[in-house]
Amino acid sequence: MDFHPTEDQAAAAGLAGRIFRDLATHERLAAAGTGSDAELWKALTAAGLTTAVEDIGLLGLVLLLEEQGRTTAQVPYAATCVYGILPVSAHGSAEQRARLLPALGSGEAVATGAFPARGRITASADGRLTGTAPVVPWLRDATHVLVPDADRALWFVRTDAPGVGTPEVETTAPWSAGRLILAGAEAERLGDGRAHDEVLATARTAFAGLQAGVCTGSLARAVEYTSTREQFGRPLSTNQGVMLRAADAYMDTEAIRVTAYEAAWRIDEGLPAREHALTAAWWASEAGKRVVHAGQHLHGGMGADLDHPVHRHFLWGRQLDAYLGCGSELLAELGALLSDHAAPEGDDA
């Protein structure tokens, strides 16, 4: 693969980085709580960073999500892109693209997804959905939800439609979440039978990119803290144990980043990428958990302060660790997939 971003991808990432750094400050994040920052969301959409995803591809989106993760910015950017803009672009009809993409790109509409599918939602013959998704991230902000049914067909549901309930759910996640309750809710079909696996692979790759940014931000805070905090007359960063812990965290972060880049590039190129998306998600889960724990640990007693900025990275990292499948689930799925590929044709073992 080519690890060098295109000019458009680099420009979009640079612009996103400036916007996130300017507006996703610790004070604004503390004030937002688990809600979205409306001003930041408006700035992103006005800058064209939602509509740009159609042109810069999944790899470009991964680069932008890294910038969001660095600052843990409170906006439904990842969800709207991976459950709205990209699936509609790839699998929507001409009428769906014309109707949905302008609203999603302008920020007038916000999308999220009831992923991963757990077989809890069923669809009737006339396209009405019944069932419950216990926790859906950013549901309080969403106007549309991408819902997989028990047969892995994808449906778009409006949150204001009859038969749709979205009670708030309090979790340890720093972003808003809700429970999606469907009671014969009207829905519109999106794509064919291939759409589910492609959307899931895209989401896993994108959220791995977000985790790479979260880990980068956590490690940067730890490096700054240990370089300025002195103990016994010298900076903490000069202690061998601190250096080794930070070095391990850096290598883990790079592993998340490079596997996310590879999976995104393969998806953009139309190459088989399901195994690569699973690999990226596994690194994001297992290594991401290690990195945010190290970031908090290297802050010593300050890391235990719930109001300290590094704690937000810890919460993001732990939530992304389990989202779309924890490490053991992903490894089992990857092993089964590789086993199927390795089995000789006609072998039922």
Side-chain angles (χ1 to χ4, degrees):
M1 67 162 288
D2 183 358
F3 285 90
H4 297 91
T6 66
E7 185 177 340
D8 287 344
Q9 290 170 341
L15 176 58
R18 289 194 296 274
I19 293 174
F20 284 129
R21 286 192 299 272
D22 289 345
L23 294 180
T25 62
H26 175 56
E27 292 73 23
R28 290 175 63 91
L29 290 168
T34 60
S36 294
D37 186 329
E39 183 180 347
L40 175 55
W41 182 235
K42 183 178 180 180
L44 290 172
T45 56
L49 291 176
T50 43
T51 56
V53 174
E54 295 180 68
D55 299 319
I56 62 177
L58 182 55
L59 180 56
L61 176 59
V62 166
L63 295 173
L64 269 61
L65 291 178
E66 278 193 80
E67 299 300 333
Q68 180 184 3
R70 290 175 197 268
T71 58
T72 60
Q74 290 288 100
V75 284
Y77 184 59
T80 293
C81 290
V82 299
Y83 297 128
I85 293 173
L86 289 179
V88 171
S89 297
H91 304 288
S93 65
E95 186 277 331
Q96 286 175 321
R97 292 195 297 271
R99 172 167 47 89
L100 294 171
L101 287 177
L104 290 166
S106 68
E108 177 186 351
V110 174
T112 189
F115 281 74
R118 302 293 189 189
R120 297 186 176 98
I121 296 173
T122 57
S124 65
D126 60 350
R128 292 182 178 271
L129 302 184
T130 300
T132 301
V135 180
V136 179
W138 298 111
L139 185 59
R140 280 182 274 169
D141 301 286
T143 58
H144 295 75
V145 187
L146 188 62
V147 180
D149 67 18
D151 296 321
R152 294 195 167 193
L154 295 183
W155 304 84
F156 253 129
V157 178
R158 288 191 61 93
T159 56
D160 60 358
V164 178
T166 59
E168 183 176 324
V169 174
E170 289 298 330
T171 71
T172 57
W175 52 78
S176 60
R179 179 176 291 110
L180 181 66
I181 301 173
L182 303 172
E186 291 185 7
E188 60 175 310
R189 182 70 183 270
L190 183 73
D192 56 23
R194 298 176 295 108
H196 175 274
D197 287 350
E198 291 180 9
V199 170
L200 182 57
T202 296
R204 281 171 165 164
T205 302
F207 282 103
L210 185 62
Q211 181 77 301
V214 170
C215 292
T216 300
S218 175
L219 183 57
R221 291 190 181 279
V223 169
E224 181 182 10
Y225 178 81
T226 57
S227 297
T228 56
R229 176 76 170 180
E230 292 191 357
Q231 189 177 62
F232 306 117
R234 61 177 186 172
L236 288 173
S237 60
T238 60
N239 293 320
Q240 187 179 44
V242 171
M243 289 189 285
L244 291 174
R245 190 78 185 274
D248 287 342
Y250 173 79
M251 295 303 296
D252 273 337
T253 301
E254 289 302 298
I256 300 170
R257 178 177 290 112
V258 73
T259 52
Y261 285 5
E262 182 180 19
W265 176 80
R266 291 184 67 89
I267 290 172
D268 284 342
E269 294 294 314
L271 299 171
R274 187 178 171 192
E275 299 97 324
H276 301 80
L278 281 165
T279 301
W282 181 83
W283 274 104
S285 175
E286 291 293 300
K289 179 168 52 181
R290 290 194 296 266
V291 173
V292 296
H293 273 267
Q296 192 173 39
H297 187 201
L298 289 174
H299 278 75
M302 294 299 295
D305 183 356
L306 301 186
D307 295 324
H308 195 282
V310 77
H311 188 70
R312 190 176 295 108
H313 289 270
F314 176 79
L315 289 178
W316 276 69
R318 287 313 309 258
Q319 286 292 327
L320 290 171
D321 153 39
Y323 186 50
L324 299 180
C326 66
S328 58
E329 291 176 312
L330 295 165
L331 199 60
E333 186 178 345
L334 178 59
L337 185 61
L338 294 176
S339 178
D340 289 343
H341 289 343
E345 186 175 350
D347 187 354
D348 295 330

